[in-house]
Amino acid sequence: MKEKNKPILITGGAGFIGSHVIRHFVKKYPVYEIYNLDALTYAGNLENLKDIEDKSNYHFLKGDISDVDLVNQLFRKYRFEAVIHLAAESHVDRSIKDPLAFVRTNINGTINLLNAFKSIWANNFEGKLFYHISTDEVYGTLGETGLFKETTPYSPNSPYSASKASSDHFVRAYGETFDIPYVISNCSNNYGPYQFPEKLIPLMINNIVENKELPVYGDGNYTRDWLFVLDHVKAIDLIFHKAELKETYNIGGLNEWKNIELVNMLCDLADEKLGRENGTSRKLITFVKDRPGHDKRYAIDATKIEEKLGWKPSVTFEEGLSKTIDWYLENKKWLVHITSGDYLEYYREHYN
Ligand code: NAD
Ligand code: DAU
């Protein structure tokens, strides 16, 4: 008789990073039974997982992590031995418009998962793990110099980052108070295929293709540290299997770009791929009203994960951006499906 595979819950698996994590775990670890719990909000899309949806170790569970009864019921039924928690409201601009949605999912949802995990395993946490995926935005903003370390004090500036910071604190507190075996990782800006086009890189690619204005916030001199999503997934795999419990790991690309430099680069790469005259897309750049509370600069010190777990980013920015643009050009149907309906409404309201 087939031995029972280890049941692992991955939340938010129909989103951008989650779908890459699901694909990686389902394919690489047939000994795991992977359960994807996702509410399929505007950001969740099962098309992201088309290529693995028929795998026998993959199961989709539609549901909202802020629903206490549902979460408890699922833990009782499937007895998840490990959780990789990605489900979240993830867009800063939306958090400015509707902070409570971020409290409900990012804070309450995380606490529901922690409680359900605790109530199933409280008598024996041996071999169990609650892995919480978080963001570098919890550290606030940097000046011209310096890097975020694991020891940098939390100083979130947006409702999104405040909700993620709060969820990190709850995970850590459950570790101290209830001895829950947890790890947390805080990652910098990801990019790559399947990212929802409200985020900078896919938004710009989509607008370049459609010859629409490229809305750069403020003066464009804001800096982000970009990491190709599959390098994040590799870090998640390493942390899941090898991290010390009750530790935090920062993950970043050592790849800082000012937004305006990045948008210029996207324009030039896209012009080349689209056979447009060099400089055509740059003409679409439009400086628009700044984001309130806009963090000036993020940059990660990834020494700890490099030294303790042997992780390093493997995809260069040029290579990653090129692959990403190619993917968006080849997957126009995906873009059309995902940008219809609610998203159009959001776009009109936010950018007008
Ligand atoms: P995303 O917005 O693309 O996907 C979020 C997923 O969560 C969607 O599938 C959505 O349907 C699901 N979801 C939302 N609310 C839910 C709820 N109440 N119940 C169940 N499912 C729900 O997000 P992403 O960019 O893939 O980010 C995933 C995680 O990684 C988040 O926790 C985010 O904070 C973190 N993170 C993201 C980045 C980044 O650059 N994108 C960087 C660092 C950390
Ligand atoms: O650092 C990790 C975080 O990165 C994640 O936790 C978040 O989930 C993710 O959304 C991302 O947050 P940012 O706010 O940095 O990403 P966003 O793509 O929204 O914006 C990147 C930069 O580009 C930021 O300085 C704002 C700017 N921007 C963004 C948009 C959408 C523009 O100039 N114009 C735009 O239209």
Side-chain angles (χ1 to χ4, degrees):
M1 205 168 78
K2 189 184 163 208
E3 208 186 315
K4 197 179 158 298
N5 288 342
K6 183 171 173 160
I8 296 178
L9 175 67
I10 299 183
T11 67
F16 166 46
I17 303 172
S19 62
H20 289 284
V21 173
I22 295 259
R23 178 175 299 100
H24 175 87
F25 273 74
V26 164
K27 284 184 163 175
K28 185 168 172 193
Y29 301 109
V31 293
Y32 295 156
E33 216 61 46
I34 301 293
Y35 292 85
N36 172 14
L37 172 59
D38 198 298
L40 298 183
T41 66
Y42 77 93
N45 181 4
L46 289 178
E47 279 182 63
N48 299 3
L49 291 162
K50 265 244 153 311
D51 55 322
I52 57 108
E53 67 185 5
D54 294 331
K55 297 272 185 208
S56 59
N57 64 334
Y58 170 71
H59 314 274
F60 177 63
L61 306 167
K62 183 172 184 316
D64 187 329
I65 58 168
S66 68
D67 179 341
V68 189
D69 293 339
L70 173 84
V71 169
N72 284 329
Q73 190 197 317
L74 292 175
F75 270 81
R76 280 197 299 269
K77 181 163 178 194
Y78 298 107
R79 303 187 70 77
F80 308 117
E81 294 183 23
V83 177
I84 306 179
H85 174 34
L86 295 113
E89 288 292 344
S90 69
H91 193 39
V92 174
D93 295 325
R94 289 186 190 252
S95 80
I96 295 166
K97 292 208 166 67
D98 184 10
L100 268 179
F102 287 68
V103 171
R104 201 180 57 88
T105 289
N106 300 0
I107 306 180
N108 298 357
T110 302
I111 297 172
N112 289 340
L113 293 166
L114 285 166
N115 281 337
F117 182 84
K118 170 164 89 66
S119 75
I120 296 291
W121 302 117
N123 295 326
N124 181 13
F125 282 131
E126 188 66 34
K128 312 297 184 296
L129 180 66
F130 192 100
Y131 180 4
H132 180 58
I133 306 290
S134 192
T135 169
D136 61 354
E137 298 200 11
V138 297
Y139 300 121
T141 187
L142 291 164
E144 291 296 316
T145 57
L147 299 171
F148 293 137
K149 299 183 196 313
E150 285 81 1
T151 50
T152 303
Y154 275 29
S155 183
N157 290 319
S158 71
Y160 162 67
S161 53
S163 69
K164 291 297 288 188
S166 172
S167 64
D168 293 10
H169 289 321
F170 271 102
V171 173
R172 194 185 151 278
Y174 271 60
E176 290 302 308
T177 306
F178 305 112
D179 210 25
I180 276 189
Y182 76 86
V183 281
I184 300 175
S185 56
N186 297 80
C187 190
S188 64
N189 287 62
N190 284 217
Y191 70 99
Y194 298 111
Q195 185 166 34
F196 194 84
E198 66 190 351
K199 306 283 164 58
L200 181 73
I201 290 182
L203 183 138
M204 293 298 166
I205 298 174
N206 192 20
N207 285 14
I208 289 170
V209 171
E210 292 186 5
N211 269 307
K212 275 167 65 174
E213 285 185 349
L214 307 178
V216 173
Y217 294 164
D219 61 5
N221 285 316
Y222 293 86
T223 302
R224 297 292 183 264
D225 173 1
W226 293 95
L227 181 70
F228 191 60
V229 62
L230 294 182
D231 276 328
H232 188 187
V233 172
K234 280 186 196 155
I236 290 173
D237 184 336
L238 273 174
I239 290 170
F240 182 77
H241 291 103
K242 299 210 169 114
E244 226 173 282
L245 294 181
K246 300 189 177 175
E247 287 283 322
T248 287
Y249 295 81
N250 280 356
I251 308 168
L254 266 183
N255 180 39
E256 290 183 46
W257 291 87
K258 289 202 157 86
N259 293 337
I260 187 64
E261 295 167 349
L262 168 54
V263 173
N264 280 332
M265 189 155 61
L266 282 171
C267 287
D268 297 347
L269 274 168
D271 280 349
E272 202 180 306
K273 288 177 191 291
L274 292 164
R276 291 181 185 168
E277 194 187 327
N278 191 25
T280 309
S281 299
R282 283 189 186 215
K283 292 192 189 120
L284 298 169
I285 293 174
T286 312
F287 292 92
V288 299
K289 191 158 100 17
D290 210 349
R291 170 186 282 174
H294 198 166
D295 287 331
K296 187 79 190 156
R297 176 172 164 257
Y298 303 147
I300 284 277
D301 179 348
T303 309
K304 180 173 174 182
I305 186 170
E306 286 180 11
E307 288 184 352
K308 302 247 182 206
L309 303 181
W311 176 87
K312 254 195 179 329
S314 64
V315 180
T316 65
F317 201 36
E318 264 203 336
E319 190 189 334
L321 275 189
S322 176
K323 276 188 185 166
T324 304
I325 297 175
D326 288 344
W327 188 87
Y328 281 91
L329 294 181
E330 284 157 18
N331 288 276
K332 290 202 181 116
K333 257 198 201 153
W334 180 90
L335 255 183
V336 170
H337 290 172
I338 196 155
T339 51
S340 55
D342 284 358
Y343 179 66
L344 286 181
E345 199 53 44
Y346 164 82
Y347 194 93
R348 265 193 294 270
E349 196 192 313
H350 185 64
Y351 289 99
N352 287 337

